């Protein structure tokens, strides 16, 4: 069995990046103007995620019958669609994959802190995520895609939430891990509010030495800031186009 | 954290590679990987100023610097000038030793492509190459050519991976030569692929083969020898592939027609590539040599073998072979040409084989394994191979393959996949073996659990029990439910006429002066004795054995558990009971001052210890005293003690001496084993000191009467149950077993052991005395013991009466009756005896021959395992004792190999190998096989001879074997 050098002594990662480099990040908003109120497409390296947002509306389509709307804010419902072709091993995921359910709960919590709740009492917001290809950074891609789609849907947010995963190779933190690295190393995913140092999201499913965590997070925050810039750029481009059309 | 300069490589060019790999189950698996190209990869040359800005500090602030010297080696011939070297994969693989030499190869560039190829082909060489890159003096650099825009090329359609890699390497060489041209530095690509050389020359790259390059060097003559013999030599790094096993039908047919042989393979503990297999049709075991011939068999497997052609018959190796000394294709592996021979030839061969063995040539027929009937796989204890876990310095989460080195050295390494390699390093772990496919050199297995740290007392103890397949878990609830409800309060009924017909049959012997004599600290007292003078001048002698079968009724869960454990196991500081504590140490144990049920054998003996009458019955006794051996001895020796109990004991002693003399006259053997006892510090339970076991007369007193009881009972149950009586036999050793020993004796000492009968053997052993060396006789006895057959249990129907003989005790019939608390055999015998005297009917379980055979087989196996476990436990503790001390002791050479000797140190009862390397110069050594003599020049330069039976001074230390984690005695000639 051949194993790869995940981080060579020369300081290069398995795909040729250095430790503090993000993968190629591309995003678009308003990709599906007719299908939803807000939509976005996010590509981080080879991970590709599509997000559609419907709402705010009076009845959520995804909501279970009898769910009461909340007078203090919107009811978020999150649906993740992870087709078999998206990952390397074509395996069918069960309907209620525990991991995806957990992720959707985490994302809901994160965005309930980001949406300006008081504007959306007694409404429902449906978020649909579709994974087109996955090469690491699942949660981070979701988070970034939702942020953009919510912005596209015109839902008022306090700020961007940009997310990225950071892993640890021996003593070296690695920014924005791909699937190969994620398989082998411990990592933490963090989501940062705008340009601040506030974390709106952290998820670590592996063991990590506690004394390294701070270093990972500080590297992650810088990565998130950079992602936020890129997303902001794209939002402004889309905004510009909208203006032109009107 | 300091400011992070982050560059998005998207500014450059990102290439996405798609690779299609066929997965194992036949489906296609699409693997897509990103691949970022960048400019900022430095060329690492000191004189290059273009790359200066590309040296980035590592995340922890270590600056990186150019490595390749500005003044590399200059070769004037062929106009090469000052140059760097770029190596191709085949050069690295073939000439890694040369690369590591400090005479040549400085300023070398290893392209990333090569590094990865090497990694895939051979991990050890990759590690060595990486180590070279860390070495500052050698100035090796890895150049990540595939990540640099200027040196990357895309794979073309239809291009093979090999060709693509070659092209990448050439591109890399081209890049370097252009990049460094302005600094007047050239680059030489070394490859041994002719095609590649041709293509490279066409592309204008200076390319050479390793040979032609080295021949240009000024110190060529020195290096010549280090060159790999043949340029085109390609190392076969693929794992060896074993021969497929024959089909079951072919195996069955072959065994029937006498062309194939079935037996249990036994792998030498000195040489793991040498197995032997005993087949009924051959007088001597067949040899199975080499990995390929052993063909994936484990020690103890039942296998089918086929004889090899006569020209491959061999002598057993006189070498010691450890797994660690053998590299992938080292010694012991046969060059395996496919041998095809017909059935007829095979039959002929078999005849030759018998003949060859008869002629006493030293050549032994060899065989190879062609099928496995039954695997002996079980759970194995071992530890992770140190190099397989340090492999990754990083705690990865992905499962990795690691090797587990098993504690039993005659077994191969087991490959397991684990995510916790680093965690498991230095721990004793349990693994199970799953499969061994013909294409893999080592078997595959999986991790079961961790026992604890290596050398940790509890972990080692558990390991030892597991390794010897000893059941050590606490007794289960349904077993414990079979015990009397009263627990420790159980009492012998007050009244004997309470209506219980069985109780009424018991004789009341509570008035007799019974006592027990046991080792100090013994709590499970099986036996007690009494003797008194009868009015007619004869003696009445009673042996009382704990009546275990009163509590352990056949067919109950308790009985089944006992049958499966079959014996108690005695470790240095722990006892694994066959029966629950309540029975063993209380209710059955013949403790003093309380009433206990017993099974009594009562003799009437005359003055000369001849048996006048014998009687067997169940009884109730009340032991008057429990003595330790020494205590009993002191009491008997003390003339002031004139009470009746002591008198009785003296009668016993006196009779036992006579019994012993009779036994010795009949030819009973007095054998020896290098057994020692470890004293434990009572407070810290650390092993204190080691002592050779001492015997006093009282030992022999008990022993004689127990032997007598066993023999009497054996006769009784055989009379009653000639088909199923549980007996014990000890076969006479075949003369061949003693051949080697006798030859050594003849050559070295001019002595001889005769084997006509046990009497002759006993006498000849007595004669073998060396006046200069009082220990020699004991040494000889130890060695003779090893030539003996093992005694075994059997049920009477399986052998003819003449085969019942117990050779060592020189008696016609024998069984075990006297220790039912710790041996299951005795339990069965008790039941049979009880049935024979009409106490109760015999349970069908012990009447059925087939069932008895199963019981017997299990008892034999467990008994052997228990002995091994006990010995291993002593060995471990002796190792712990020696850990703290180093001392010089007397030792005896008991075996001589061509590359080492085996020395026994009586003081510790340990024997260990001394390899020739540690003795002296290997090259000047001479091994005289006929004289069992090894001549060598020792470390001081003086000539030294060592031969079998020599007394030598050895310094004894104990050393932790890194590979197995076992502490072993390390001996050195002093």
């Amino acid at each position: 069995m051949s194993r790869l050098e995940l981080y060579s002594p020369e300081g290069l990662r398995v795909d040729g990046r250095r430790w503090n480099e993000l993968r190629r990040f591309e995003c678009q908003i308003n990709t599906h103007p007719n299908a939803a109120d807000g939509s976005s497409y996010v590509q981080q390296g080879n991970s590709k995620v599509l997000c559609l947002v419907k709402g705010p509306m009076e009845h959520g389509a995804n909501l279970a019958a009898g769910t009461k709307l909340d007078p203090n804010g919107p009811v978020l419902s999150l649906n993740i669609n992870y087709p078999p072709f998206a990952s390397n091993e074509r395996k069918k995921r069960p309907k209620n994959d525990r991991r995806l359910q957990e992720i959707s709960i985490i994302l809901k919590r994160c965005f309930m802190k980001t949406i300006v709740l008081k504007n959306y009492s007694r409404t429902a917001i449906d978020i649909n995520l579709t994974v087109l290809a996955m090469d690491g950074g699942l949660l981070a891609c979701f988070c970034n895609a939702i942020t953009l789609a919510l912005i596209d849907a015109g839902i008022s947010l306090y700020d961007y939430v940009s997310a990225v995963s950071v892993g640890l190779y021996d003593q070296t933190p690695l920014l924005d891990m791909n699937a190969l690295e994620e398989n082998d190393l411990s990592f933490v995913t963090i989501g940062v509010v705008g340009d601040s140092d506030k974390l709106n999201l952290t998820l670590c499913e592996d063991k990590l030495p506690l004394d390294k965590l701070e270093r990972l997070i500080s590297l992650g925050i810088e990565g998130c800031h950079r992602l936020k810039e890129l997303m902001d750029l794209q939002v402004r481009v889309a905004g510009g186009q909208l203006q032109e059309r009107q | 954290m300091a400011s992070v300069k982050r560059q998005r490589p998207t500014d450059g060019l990102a290439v996405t590679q798609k690779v299609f790999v066929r997965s194992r189950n036949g489906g296609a698996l699409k693997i897509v990987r990103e691949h970022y190209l960048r400019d900022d990869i430095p060329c690492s040359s000191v004189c290059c100023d273009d790359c200066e800005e590309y040296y980035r500090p590592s995340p922890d602030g270590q600056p990186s610097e150019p490595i390749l010297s500005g003044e590399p080696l200059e070769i004037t011939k062929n106009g090469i000038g000052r140059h760097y070297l770029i190596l191709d994969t085949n050069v690295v693989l073939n000439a890694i030793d040369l690369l590591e030499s400090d005479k040549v190869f400085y300023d070398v560039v290893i392209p990333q492509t090569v590094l990865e190829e090497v990694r895939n082909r051979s991990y050890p060489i990759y590690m060595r190459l990486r180590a070279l890159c860390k070495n500052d003096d050698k100035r090796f650099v890895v150049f990540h050519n595939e990540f640099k825009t200027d040196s990357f090329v895309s794979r073309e359609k239809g291009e093979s991976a090999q060709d693509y890699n070659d092209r990448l390497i050439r591109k890399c060489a081209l890049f370097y030569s252009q990049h460094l041209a302005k600094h007047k530095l050239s680059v030489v690509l070394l490859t041994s692929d002719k095609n590649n050389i041709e293509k490279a020359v066409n592309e204008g790259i200076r390319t050479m083969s390793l040979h032609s390059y080295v021949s240009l060097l000024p110190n060529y003559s020195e290096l010549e020898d280090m060159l790999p013999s043949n340029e085109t030599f390609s190392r076969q790094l693929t794992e060896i592939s074993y021969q497929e096993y024959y089909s079951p039908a072919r195996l069955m047919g072959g065994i029937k027609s006498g062309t194939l042989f079935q037996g249990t393979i036994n792998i030498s503990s000195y040489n793991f590539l040498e197995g032997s297999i005993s087949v009924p049709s051959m007088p001597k075991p067949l040899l199975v040599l080499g990995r390929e011939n052993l063909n994936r068999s484990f020690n103890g497997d039942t296998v089918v073998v086929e004889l090899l052609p006569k020209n491959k018959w061999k002598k057993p190796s006189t070498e010691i072979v450890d797994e660690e000394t053998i590299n992938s294709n080292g010694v012991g592996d046969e060059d395996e040409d496919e041998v095809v021979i017909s059935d007829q030839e095979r039959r002929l061969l078999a005849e030759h084989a018998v003949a060859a063995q008869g002629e006493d040539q030293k050549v032994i027929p060899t065989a190879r394994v062609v099928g496995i009937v039954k695997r002996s796989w079980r759970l194995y204890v071992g530890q992770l191979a140190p190099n397989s876990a340090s492999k990754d310095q990083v705690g990865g989460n992905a499962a990795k393959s690691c090797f587990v080195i098993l504690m039993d050295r005659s077994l191969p390494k087991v490959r397991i996949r684990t995510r916790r390699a680093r965690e498991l390093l230095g721990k004793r772990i349990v693994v199970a073996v799953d499969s061994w496919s013909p294409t893999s050199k080592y078997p595959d297995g999986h991790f079961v659990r961790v026992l604890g740290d290596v050398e940790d007392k509890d972990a080692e103890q558990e390991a030892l029990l597991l390794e010897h397949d000893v059941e050590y878990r606490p007794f289960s609830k349904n077993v414990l439910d079979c015990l009397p409800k009263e627990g420790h309060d159980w009492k012998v009924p007050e009244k004997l006429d309470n209506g219980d017909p069985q109780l009424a049959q018991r004789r009341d012997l509570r008035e007799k002066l019974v006592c027990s004599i046991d080792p100090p600290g013994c709590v499970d007292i099986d036996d007690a004795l009494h003797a008194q003078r009868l009015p007619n001048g004869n003696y009445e002698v009673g042996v009382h054995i704990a009546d275990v079968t009163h509590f352990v009724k056949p067919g109950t869960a308790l009985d089944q558990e006992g049958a499966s454990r079959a014996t108690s196991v005695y470790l240095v500081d722990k006892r694994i009971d066959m029966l629950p504590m309540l029975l063993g140490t209380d209710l059955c144990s013949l403790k003093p001052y309380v009433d206990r049920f017993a099974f009594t054998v009562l003799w009437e003996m005359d003055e000369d210890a001849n048996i006048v009458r014998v009687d067997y019955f169940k009884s109730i006794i009340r032991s008057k005293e429990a003595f330790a051996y020494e205590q009993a001895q002191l009491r008997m020796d003390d003339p002031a003690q004139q009470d009746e109990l002591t008198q009785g004991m003296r009668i016993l002693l006196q009779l036992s001496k006579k019994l012993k003399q009779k036994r010795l006259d009949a030819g009973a053997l007095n054998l020896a084993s290098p057994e020692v006892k470890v004293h434990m510090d009572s407070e810290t339970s650390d092993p204190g000191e080691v002592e050779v076991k001492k015997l006093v007369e009282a030992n022999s007193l008990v022993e004689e009467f127990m032997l007598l009881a066993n023999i009497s009972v054996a006769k009784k149950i055989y009379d009653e149950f000639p088909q199923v009586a549980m007996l014990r036999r000890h076969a006479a050793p075949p003369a061949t077993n003693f051949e080697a020993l006798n030859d050594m004796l003849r050559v070295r000492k001019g002595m001889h052991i005769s084997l006509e009968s046990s009497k002759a053997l006993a006498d000849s052993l007595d004669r073998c005395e060396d006046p200069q060396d009082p220990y020699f006789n004991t040494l000889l006895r130890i060695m003779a013991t090893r030539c003996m057959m093992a005694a075994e249990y059997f049920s009477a129907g399986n052998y003819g009466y003449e085969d019942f003989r117990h050779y060592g005790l020189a008696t016609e019939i024998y069984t075990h009756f006297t220790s039912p608390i710790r041996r299951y055999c005795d339990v069965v015998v008790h039941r049979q005896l009880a049935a024979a005297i009409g106490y109760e009917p015999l349970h069908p379980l012990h009447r059925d021959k087939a069932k008895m055979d199963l019981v017997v087989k299990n008892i034999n196996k467990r008994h052997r395992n228990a002995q091994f476990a006990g010995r291993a436990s002593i060995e471990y503790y002796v190792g712990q004792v020696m850990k703290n001390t180093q001392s010089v002791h007397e030792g005896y050479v008991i075996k001589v190999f061509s590359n080492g000797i085996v020395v026994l140190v009586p003081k510790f009862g340990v024997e260990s190998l001394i390899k020739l390397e540690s003795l002296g110069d290997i090259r000047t050594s001479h091994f005289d096989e006929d004289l069992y003599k090894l001549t060598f020049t020792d470390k001081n330069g003086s000539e030294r001879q060592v031969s079998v039976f020599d007394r030598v001074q050895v310094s004894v230390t104990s050393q932790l074997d890194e590979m197995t984690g076992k502490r072993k005695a390390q001996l050195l000639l002093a």
Side-chain angles (χ1 to χ4, degrees), chain A residues 1-243:
Chain A
M1 195 189 76
S2 81
R3 263 175 268 143
L4 296 150
E5 250 180 0
L6 285 180
Y7 186 71
S8 68
E10 290 75 30
L12 288 169
R13 288 156 70 174
V14 67
D15 55 4
R17 286 181 291 154
R18 291 195 194 278
W19 61 281
N20 55 359
E21 288 171 352
L22 290 169
R23 291 184 286 175
R24 181 166 45 115
F25 182 85
E26 276 165 30
C27 61
Q28 290 167 33
I29 64 168
N30 207 12
T31 48
H32 297 68
N34 302 323
D37 297 319
S39 54
S40 67
Y41 169 75
V42 166
Q43 185 175 348
Q44 285 182 269
N46 276 339
S47 298
K48 295 162 191 170
V49 170
L50 209 57
C51 179
L52 302 184
V53 169
K54 287 177 194 165
M57 49 194 175
E58 286 173 27
H59 301 288
N62 288 352
L63 285 188
T67 313
K68 275 194 188 148
L69 293 177
D70 189 351
N72 299 323
V75 174
L76 282 186
S77 72
L78 220 129
N79 180 36
I80 299 175
N81 183 18
Y82 199 151
F85 62 76
S87 52
N88 262 344
E89 66 278 13
R90 282 182 90 88
K91 72 167 179 234
K92 235 184 152 160
R93 261 158 244 274
K95 186 99 198 217
N96 39 10
D97 185 326
R98 288 188 70 92
R99 192 170 131 74
L100 291 183
Q101 279 187 334
E102 230 171 84
I103 284 183
S104 75
I105 291 169
I106 291 161
L107 283 169
K108 260 187 232 172
R109 275 197 208 138
C110 163
F111 281 97
M112 287 302 276
K113 294 284 175 199
T114 313
I115 295 170
V116 184
L117 298 181
K118 61 174 193 245
N119 292 355
Y120 303 101
S121 62
R122 290 182 202 287
T123 61
I125 298 173
D126 282 358
I127 301 172
N128 269 295
L129 287 161
T130 304
V131 184
L132 298 178
M134 188 36 61
D135 187 24
L138 182 72
L139 182 61
C141 285
F142 283 163
C143 183
N144 295 334
I146 295 173
T147 305
L148 288 172
L150 287 175
I151 290 171
D152 185 35
I155 290 168
S156 39
L157 306 178
Y158 290 109
D159 209 334
Y160 286 86
V161 185
S162 51
V164 77
S165 63
V166 203
L168 183 69
Y169 178 92
D170 199 14
Q171 305 291 315
T172 315
L174 300 179
L175 186 63
D176 199 5
M177 314 256 283
N178 65 22
L180 279 175
E181 293 166 331
E182 272 187 3
N183 272 339
D184 239 20
L185 306 176
S186 306
F187 66 97
V188 54
T189 303
I190 60 168
V192 175
V193 181
D195 287 325
S196 71
D197 284 350
K198 280 188 216 150
L199 299 189
N200 222 352
L201 173 79
T202 36
L203 176 68
C204 178
E205 292 165 298
D206 307 299
K207 277 193 206 168
L208 265 178
L210 201 59
D211 54 328
K212 297 286 179 313
L213 189 65
E214 198 185 333
R215 216 168 149 209
L216 292 191
I217 287 178
S218 66
L219 175 65
I221 289 174
E222 297 198 39
C224 287
H225 290 167
R226 176 74 185 136
L227 285 178
K228 187 245 155 187
E229 271 170 46
L230 292 167
M231 295 200 296
D232 193 45
L233 201 71
Q234 199 59 37
V235 170
R236 283 174 202 285
V237 168
Q241 284 168 351
L242 209 63
Q243 261 179 345

